[in-house]
């Protein structure tokens, strides 16, 4: 029997419940030199790090935890960029700008999710969008990140120059 206020919905595995309302995900945004940190999932294509908040967890805490679990990186949340719908009706993502640390150009991390996967990380140019190798939800997420960065810094429009926006983000990051 579901907990009070929980619902069973189409597409939810039997026995699983969720509270009514939008499905919420949190995406830590890591920027460097006009690019955003992304990874290749061995079964699901190119993606940004993202995950589901645990009960009572803030977006900043979720961003830190998911980044650590999926990439092995321990970075600090700088600020909440915004909450926007991504790809699927009823799904919203919080985007949290992260700071700190030296991150290699490419690296791999074994993530224990879904029985374990080796995620291969790389820097994807801001404003470049995603190609066929990208998971559709993450193509939408890339667009939303660019929108949020433009909204926060209108003079730094990533559609015109990804480098200008990243320079501004680096100036805001003391260790970048």
């Amino acid at each position: 029997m579901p907990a009070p206020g929980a619902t069973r919905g189409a597409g939810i595995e039997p026995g699983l419940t969720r509270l009514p309302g939008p499905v919420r995900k949190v995406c830590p945004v890591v920027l460097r030199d006009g690019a955003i940190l992304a990874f290749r999932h061995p079964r699901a294509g190119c993606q940004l790090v993202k995950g589901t908040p645990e009960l009572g967890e803030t977006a900043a805490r979720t961003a830190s935890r998911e980044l650590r679990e999926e990439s092995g990186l321990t970075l600090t949340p700088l600020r909440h960029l915004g909450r926007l719908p991504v790809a699927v009706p009823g799904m919203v993502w919080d985007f949290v700008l992260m700071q700190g640390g030296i991150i290699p150009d490419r690296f791999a991390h074994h993530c224990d999710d879904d029985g374990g996967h080796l995620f291969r990380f790389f820097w994807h140019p801001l404003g470049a969008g995603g190609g066929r190798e990208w998971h559709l939800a993450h193509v939408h997420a890339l667009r939303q990140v660019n929108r949020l960065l433009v909204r926060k810094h209108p003079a730094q429009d990533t559609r015109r120059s990804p480098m200008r926006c990243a320079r501004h983000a680096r100036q805001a990051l003391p260790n970048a």
Side-chain angles (χ1 to χ4, degrees):
M1 175 178 236
T7 60
R8 288 183 196 257
I12 298 176
E13 294 179 33
L16 297 180
T17 61
R18 70 174 177 87
L19 296 175
V23 174
R24 186 170 161 229
K25 299 292 181 179
V26 176
C27 177
V29 175
V30 182
L31 301 175
R32 182 180 87 179
D33 297 329
I36 187 168
L37 186 65
F39 70 95
R40 179 174 299 282
H41 188 289
R43 289 194 223 150
C46 295
Q47 302 183 9
L48 301 175
V49 172
K50 67 122 174 67
T52 305
E54 293 177 355
L55 188 61
E57 193 173 49
T58 65
R61 184 162 292 181
T62 302
S64 294
R65 178 180 53 77
E66 288 293 339
L67 188 63
R68 187 177 57 257
E69 289 174 5
E70 293 189 10
S71 73
L73 298 173
T74 303
L75 302 181
T76 304
L78 179 64
R79 73 174 177 268
H80 185 263
L81 293 172
R83 177 181 292 170
L84 293 171
V86 171
V88 179
M91 182 177 286
V92 295
W93 286 23
D94 285 280
F95 296 92
V96 178
L97 185 62
M98 307 298 285
Q99 71 174 347
I102 298 172
I103 304 170
D105 291 339
R106 293 182 177 274
F107 65 98
H109 178 75
H110 184 271
C111 180
D112 292 331
D113 285 358
D114 302 321
H117 295 291
L118 185 64
F119 293 161
R120 298 188 183 283
F121 285 82
F122 61 95
W123 294 97
H124 182 74
L126 279 170
R132 291 186 349 203
E133 69 278 9
W134 279 79
H135 185 282
L136 182 59
H138 295 267
V139 170
H140 290 232
L142 285 169
R143 286 187 201 130
Q144 297 295 41
V145 167
N146 280 298
R147 284 185 186 123
L148 287 169
L149 292 172
V150 169
R151 182 184 303 161
K152 297 288 183 186
H153 310 287
Q156 309 297 329
D157 188 336
T158 60
R159 290 171 294 186
R160 290 194 207 112
S161 172
M163 297 306 285
R164 290 190 315 182
C165 185
R167 262 197 308 274
H168 182 80
R170 277 198 317 278
Q171 290 168 359
L173 304 175
N175 296 331

